[in-house]
């Protein structure tokens, strides 16, 4: 992606980072990077993702204590709502998706991410979902992104594009490396 790209984070980016790769206890650099990149206008998410991640765990505590309200942008603008309506119409008309998949897609933040990104130039959706042209039981976010010309990447591609580096530091008590 070119300089000036803004990365729009899916809930799964935050949840999987917290639960798997970048736990707060041993990888604070990832979370600091998100805040720094947000302060520089490079990373955002949306209000509906915020609602999805409020599960009463350490991730919710981080959101409440560390993130500025501006990290989670509003989806309540006419352009975003209009984009979402177009995307929902496409999903509803797409016979390949089961009724349950369509209902789920309508009820979660996924459809709002490309709607938001489409309304804002240079915005890229960041998700761990993968393009799945033959999907039936769910509506993959990248399928919608592709249909509407919204670029998407995964967390690791975003980190490479941001030129992120996480460097190991020596323990404060002076112990040697493992």
């Amino acid at each position: 992606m070119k300089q000036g790209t803004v990365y729009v984070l899916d809930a799964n980016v935050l949840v999987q980072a917290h639960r798997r790769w970048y736990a707060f206890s041993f990888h604070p650099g990832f979370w600091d990077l998100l805040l720094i990149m947000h302060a520089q206008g490079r990373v955002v998410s949306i209000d509906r993702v915020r609602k999805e991640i409020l599960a009463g765990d350490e991730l919710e505590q981080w959101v409440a204590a560390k993130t500025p309200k501006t990290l989670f942008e509003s989806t309540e603008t006419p352009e975003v709502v209009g984009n979402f309506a177009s995307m929902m119409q496409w999903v509803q008309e797409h016979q390949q998706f089961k009724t349950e998949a369509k209902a789920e897609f309508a009820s979660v933040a996924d459809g709002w991410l490309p709607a938001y990104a489409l309304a804002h130039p240079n915005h890229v959706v960041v998700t761990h979902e993968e393009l799945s042209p033959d999907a039936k039981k769910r509506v993959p976010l990248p399928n919608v992104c592709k249909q509407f010309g919204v670029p998407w990447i995964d967390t690791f591609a975003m980190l490479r594009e941001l030129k992120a580096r996480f460097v190991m530091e020596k323990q404060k008590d002076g112990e040697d490396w493992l």
Side-chain angles (χ1 to χ4, degrees):
M1 296 288 142
K2 55 188 160 183
Q3 188 70 1
T5 297
V6 178
Y7 302 94
V8 185
L9 306 180
D10 186 3
N12 67 24
V13 170
L14 299 169
V15 171
Q16 288 183 23
H18 157 59
R19 292 184 182 159
R20 298 178 77 190
W21 302 295
Y22 305 116
F24 293 104
S25 61
F26 69 85
H27 210 306
F30 174 81
W31 303 96
D32 291 344
L33 175 74
L34 293 182
L35 296 175
I36 291 165
M37 290 295 109
H38 172 68
Q40 293 178 9
R42 302 291 309 276
V43 170
V44 298
S45 191
I46 59 172
D47 50 3
R48 293 166 194 272
V49 164
R50 186 178 193 280
K51 289 177 188 172
E52 283 188 10
I53 63 174
L54 298 181
D57 63 6
E58 198 173 9
L59 181 56
E60 180 177 1
Q61 294 167 12
W62 178 77
V63 169
K66 303 273 185 172
T67 64
K69 292 194 185 305
T70 56
L71 179 61
F72 297 96
E73 297 283 330
S74 174
T75 53
E76 299 298 323
T77 66
E79 191 171 12
V80 173
V81 171
N83 290 344
F84 179 74
S86 296
M87 291 172 184
M88 282 307 305
Q89 181 177 356
W90 177 79
V91 167
Q92 292 301 325
E93 292 173 354
H94 219 72
Q95 297 302 313
Q96 118 183 27
F97 302 121
K98 293 183 179 271
T99 303
E100 299 81 18
K102 294 174 183 183
E104 178 192 9
F105 189 79
S107 69
V108 297
D110 284 4
W112 292 94
L113 289 158
Y116 178 86
L118 188 60
H120 297 86
N122 299 323
H123 282 52
V124 174
V125 171
V126 182
T127 184
H128 288 293
E129 292 186 30
E130 295 182 6
L131 184 66
S132 182
D134 299 324
K136 293 177 177 36
K137 294 182 179 179
R138 63 181 319 271
V139 180
L141 178 53
N143 290 26
V144 178
C145 288
K146 182 178 180 184
Q147 176 64 30
F148 287 87
V150 175
W152 77 94
I153 58 175
D154 67 22
T155 302
F156 306 109
M158 175 189 73
L159 292 173
R160 281 190 285 283
E161 290 179 10
L162 290 172
K163 296 181 178 20
R165 286 190 38 181
F166 301 110
V167 180
M168 213 166 137
E169 68 180 32
K170 196 167 185 157
Q171 298 296 317
K172 290 182 177 136
D173 60 9
E175 287 184 25
D176 289 333
W177 301 104
L178 298 174

